[in-house]
Each structure stands twice: as structure tokens, then as C-alpha cells.
């Protein structure tokens, strides 16, 4: 109110004085009663007069802001909270890290990305999700992390999630590694004090040396992967989601990550693992879900699903039969029977 009342007045007065000076001074210069130099000097004196007037308006505005802020702070501290702590709070059960998909479908741009996907992941499992490019693997992970919402069906997630969907998501390329650690910690919901406690472990696991103090825009893809993975697992999640994030790391770093996978599993954490590295799927996953063209083809042991995945990749899988559960089971059994045969039995010997 004070700003609206006084500042326009001060501005108006300064402009009026300038106009009067130019008119009167111009007339006096024309009549020879004043030199042009004197007019310029008087104009400078007028400027020195009007500037303090404007500054007085700004000072009034600052005083008004100060008094308003003091009042707001006092009101905030003295106000009674609307939500009060109950006398007998109900204790919630600890989130266990379960993931359940019930007839989940997702449609975008008139295209069915996922169609009636069903699976259930229990606490402590490492579930592999495999399939060709475009089969819907990353879409499932984005639904789990609430990046996408299912068009139909229900996705039930119980637990705190840490996701590596896109390396460096949320990183500021101009910030150093240390600054990005704190930035991501704040985005996840940790205080600076909590991140201070986690900092040494993150730096040790990333193992990128003095590069941690340099802007991340100077990092290689492998260094980026190390830092992003280290920050993600530092939150101690109930559910860890990894989507091809380890493919850019070297062998030693991948082994370190897989050892952390085993540690997570022993501690009862759940891991959803999307990769095209079938060897890692067989070695580390408890179960595996196979997708093709947005549909769930089968679910079972990693070795069985990898064998069936290879059939799809080489074109020996008839997509027209996918809707028939009976035919799917027969195909799985056929693949398993073929794998049980000795390689010598499958050779044609030249007589």
C-alpha cells in the first residue's frame, strides 16, 4: 500500500521537475539570460535531487517488505497446527518391496504398448524382464516408478523405489560430482545431514577418483554410470530398478554392481532387472518374464525364458499363437526337450 501511494508520487515529481527545467532553461538560453553550459549544470543538479527521491521510494518498499515478513513469521510460529499428532497413532506395517501387476495395459498414440500384463514379485527376488526392443520392458519399469499411469489394470507397489532408468536423469551437467550427489539426495528426499553420512560410501563405490570434484559434463559414459548407480543404491531402497544401466560400465564395475545385487538380495531387497545380457539374467535372476510386442509370452526360470527368447529372436516363434496359453506351454516344453538332447545326437554323421 505504501509503495502504491508514495513511489508513483516521487516518480511523477521528478519527471515534472525535469520538464519544467527543460522548458524554462531552454527559453532563458534562447533569450540570452543563461548559457547552455549553465543549463547542463542545472540539469545535473536536478538529477542529483531526483535520484534521492526515487531511492526514498525504494527504501519505503524495503521497509514495507521487512515489516510484512516479520508479521508473517510471527503468525506462522504462533498459529495452532491444523493437523495434530494423535494420542494413539496407528503403526503402519513396514513396506516389504512387493510388486504386483494385474491385467495392466498401456496405450499411447493409438498403439497398444502393453496388453494385459500379469506378474507378481515377492520380497527379496531378482526378477529379470527380457524381450526384443519395443516389447514394453521399459514401459513396465516406468509404470512401477509412476512415470507412466496404466491405461487399464492395476499396478501395486509396496516399498521405497530407487530406479536407474536413464543414466544421469536429474543430474546438472554443469555441477561437479559432489554437487550432483547432494542435488539428487535432495530430490529423493534426504536432508544435507543425511547425505553427509552417505557421501563417503557413495564416493568409495563410484571409485572415479578426483573426477568427483569436476563437472559431470567432462565424465565418460562409464564414469557417469558409476556415479549414477552409486547415488541410486545409497538410498537403501526396498525395490531397485535397473534398465540397461550397467551396459556402459567396465567388467570390474559390473562385477561390483552384481555383488551389491547379491548383498541386496540377502538383505531382503527386491530387484527388477532389464537387460539384453542373457548371461547375467541366468546368473543373477530368480525368475524371468519374457515379453514380445507388448504381451507377456511366458514366465519361469531364467534358463527356460532365455531359450524361448532366442527362439523369438531367430524367428522360430509364431506370434499368432501367443494368445493360446496351451500352445505357449507346449512351445516352452518343446524348447526344453530340445535343450536336453546331447549335441552329438543332433549331428548328421556323414556315412
Amino acid at each position: 500500500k505504501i509503495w502504491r501511494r508514495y513511489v508513483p508520487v516521487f516518480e511523477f515529481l521528478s519527471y515534472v521537475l525535469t520538464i519544467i527545467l527543460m522548458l524554462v532553461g531552454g527559453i532563458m538560453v534562447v533569450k540570452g539570460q543563461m548559457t547552455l553550459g549553465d543549463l547542463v549544470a542545472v540539469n545535473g543538479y536536478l538529477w542529483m535531487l531526483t535520484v534521492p527521491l526515487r531511492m526514498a521510494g525504494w527504501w519505503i518498499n524495503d521497509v514495507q517488505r521487512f515489516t510484512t515478513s516479520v508479521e508473517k513469521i510471527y503468525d506462522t510460529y504462533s498459529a495452532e497446527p491444523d493437523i495434530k499428532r494423535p494420542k494413539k497413532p496407528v503403526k503402519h506395517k513396514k513396506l516389504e518391496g512387493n510388486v504386483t501387476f494385474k491385467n495392466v495395459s498401456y496405450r499411447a498414440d493409438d498403439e497398444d504398448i502393453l496388453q494385459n500384463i500379469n506378474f507378481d514379485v515377492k520380497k527379496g527376488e531378482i526378477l529379470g524382464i527380457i524381450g526384443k526392443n519395443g516389447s514394453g520392458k521399459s514401459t513396465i519399469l516406468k509404470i512401477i516408478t509412476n512415470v507412466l499411469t496404466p491405461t487399464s489394470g492395476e499396478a501395486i507397489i509396496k516399498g521405497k523405489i530407487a530406479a536407474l532408468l536413464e543414466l544421469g536423469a536429474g543430474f546438472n551437467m554443469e555441477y561437479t560430482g559432489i554437487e550432483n550427489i547432494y542435488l539428487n539426495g535432495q530430490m529423493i528426499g534426504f536432508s544435507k545431514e543425511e547425505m553427509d553420512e552417505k557421501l563417503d560410501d557413495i564416493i568409495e563405490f563410484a571409485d572415479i577418483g578426483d573426477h568427483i570434484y569436476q563437472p559431470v559434463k567432462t565424465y565418460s559414459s562409464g564414469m557417469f554410470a558409476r556415479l549414477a548407480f552409486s547415488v541410486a543404491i545409497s538410498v537403501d531402497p526396498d525395490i531397485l530398478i535397473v534398465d540397461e544401466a550397467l551396459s556402459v560400465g567396465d567388467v570390474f564395475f559390473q562385477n561390483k554392481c552384481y555383488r551389491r545385487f547379491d548383498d541386496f538380495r540377502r538383505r531382503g531387497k527386491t530387484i527388477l532387472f532389464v537387460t539384453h545380457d542373457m548371461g547375467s539374467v541366468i546368473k543373477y535372476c530368480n525368475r524371468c518374464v519374457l515379453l514380445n510386442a507388448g504381451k507377456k509370452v511366458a514366465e519361469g526360470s531364467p534358463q527356460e525364458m532365455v531359450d524361448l527368447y532366442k527362439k523369438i529372436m531367430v524367428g522360430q516363434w509364431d506370434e499368432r499363437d501367443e494368445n493360446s496359453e496351451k500352445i505357449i506351454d507346449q512351445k516352452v516344453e518343446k524348447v526344453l526337450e530340445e535343450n536336453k538332447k546331447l549335441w552329438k545326437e543332433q549331428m548328421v554323421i556323414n556315412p
Side-chain angles (χ1 to χ4, degrees):
K1 292 181 180 179
I2 294 177
W3 173 267
R4 291 199 302 266
R5 182 181 301 173
Y6 292 105
V7 171
V9 174
F10 292 147
E11 294 287 342
F12 176 75
L13 288 176
S14 64
Y15 290 133
V16 169
L17 289 174
T18 302
I19 293 172
I20 292 175
L21 169 67
M22 298 304 294
L23 289 175
V24 175
I27 294 172
M28 294 178 67
V29 170
V30 171
K31 293 182 177 181
Q33 298 175 353
M34 177 185 291
T35 64
L36 183 60
D38 292 336
L39 177 62
V40 172
V42 172
N43 186 44
Y45 298 143
L46 178 62
W47 179 83
M48 295 172 63
L49 175 64
T50 56
V51 167
L53 287 175
R54 293 191 179 98
M55 292 181 64
W58 300 335
W59 181 81
I60 292 173
N61 182 46
D62 292 337
V63 171
Q64 182 67 26
R65 288 181 178 179
F66 173 78
T67 55
T68 303
S69 300
V70 171
E71 292 175 359
K72 294 294 184 182
I73 293 173
Y74 176 78
D75 293 341
T76 301
Y77 275 99
S78 60
E80 289 289 332
D82 296 330
I83 302 175
K84 298 183 179 180
R85 182 178 180 85
K87 295 180 179 180
K88 296 181 179 180
V90 178
K91 293 183 178 180
H92 295 280
K93 294 182 179 179
K94 188 180 185 301
L95 299 176
E96 296 183 348
N98 297 343
V99 178
T100 302
F101 268 44
K102 296 181 179 179
N103 299 318
V104 171
S105 298
Y106 180 76
R107 185 177 179 83
D109 298 328
D110 297 327
E111 181 181 357
D112 292 320
I113 310 300
L114 294 177
Q115 302 179 47
N116 298 320
I117 303 297
N118 293 275
F119 64 83
D120 188 27
V121 188
K122 300 297 183 182
K123 174 184 177 181
E125 283 189 312
I126 299 182
L127 178 72
I129 303 177
I130 61 175
K132 297 192 299 184
N133 289 333
S135 60
K137 305 184 297 297
S138 296
T139 302
I140 287 179
L141 300 188
K142 290 180 179 179
I143 289 175
I144 294 174
T145 55
N146 286 325
V147 175
L148 299 176
T149 302
T151 305
S152 62
E154 186 178 14
I156 303 173
I157 317 299
K158 297 181 179 180
K160 182 170 60 176
I161 299 175
L164 282 174
L165 299 182
E166 297 179 4
L167 286 178
F171 276 38
N172 188 318
M173 303 301 291
E174 301 296 330
Y175 286 7
T176 66
I178 293 288
E179 292 170 335
N180 272 290
I181 290 174
Y182 282 99
L183 174 63
N184 277 260
Q186 290 180 341
M187 294 171 62
I188 295 170
F190 287 105
S191 65
K192 183 180 183 302
E193 291 73 18
E194 290 173 321
M195 292 307 298
D196 287 339
E197 297 176 358
K198 299 175 182 292
L199 183 62
D200 291 339
D201 292 336
I202 295 174
I203 294 176
E204 181 181 359
F205 192 90
D207 192 23
I208 59 176
D210 292 337
H211 292 285
I212 196 72
Y213 303 104
Q214 299 177 5
V216 296
K217 65 182 180 181
T218 64
Y219 288 10
S220 66
S221 58
M223 293 164 62
F224 222 98
R226 288 171 176 267
L227 183 60
F229 187 86
S230 302
V231 173
I233 63 175
S234 70
V235 304
D236 192 27
D238 300 302
I239 303 168
L240 177 64
I241 295 176
V242 182
D243 183 6
E244 293 290 358
L246 306 181
S247 59
V248 296
D250 56 38
V251 175
F252 299 103
F253 180 67
Q254 290 180 18
N255 290 334
K256 181 189 289 189
C257 295
Y258 290 134
R259 287 197 299 270
R260 184 58 62 93
F261 282 2
D262 290 334
D263 177 61
F264 270 33
R265 180 166 54 182
R266 286 192 297 269
R267 293 162 53 195
K269 309 294 183 180
T270 302
I271 299 175
L272 277 73
F273 188 32
V274 169
T275 182
H276 290 285
D277 182 2
M278 297 299 106
S280 298
V281 171
I282 295 172
K283 183 176 181 180
Y284 295 102
C285 296
N286 307 112
R287 289 187 299 118
C288 189
V289 171
L290 175 60
L291 303 175
N292 189 41
K295 300 177 183 178
K296 175 182 170 182
V297 175
E299 177 181 352
S301 70
Q303 184 64 63
E304 295 175 1
M305 296 303 101
V306 168
D307 292 337
L308 195 55
Y309 168 75
K310 293 177 180 178
K311 288 280 187 179
I312 294 176
M313 291 300 292
V314 297
Q316 296 182 6
W317 177 261
D318 190 353
E319 295 184 2
R320 293 173 299 178
D321 296 337
E322 287 184 6
N323 293 326
S324 173
E325 294 291 339
K326 182 176 180 181
I327 295 177
I328 290 175
D329 293 338
Q330 291 175 352
K331 287 182 176 289
V332 173
E333 292 176 1
K334 183 178 179 181
V335 170
L336 296 177
E337 289 297 327
E338 290 178 356
N339 291 332
K340 288 180 181 178
K341 294 180 181 180
L342 295 177
W343 64 273
K344 291 183 180 180
E345 297 177 0
Q346 302 181 46
M347 292 183 63
V348 177
I349 300 177
N350 186 13

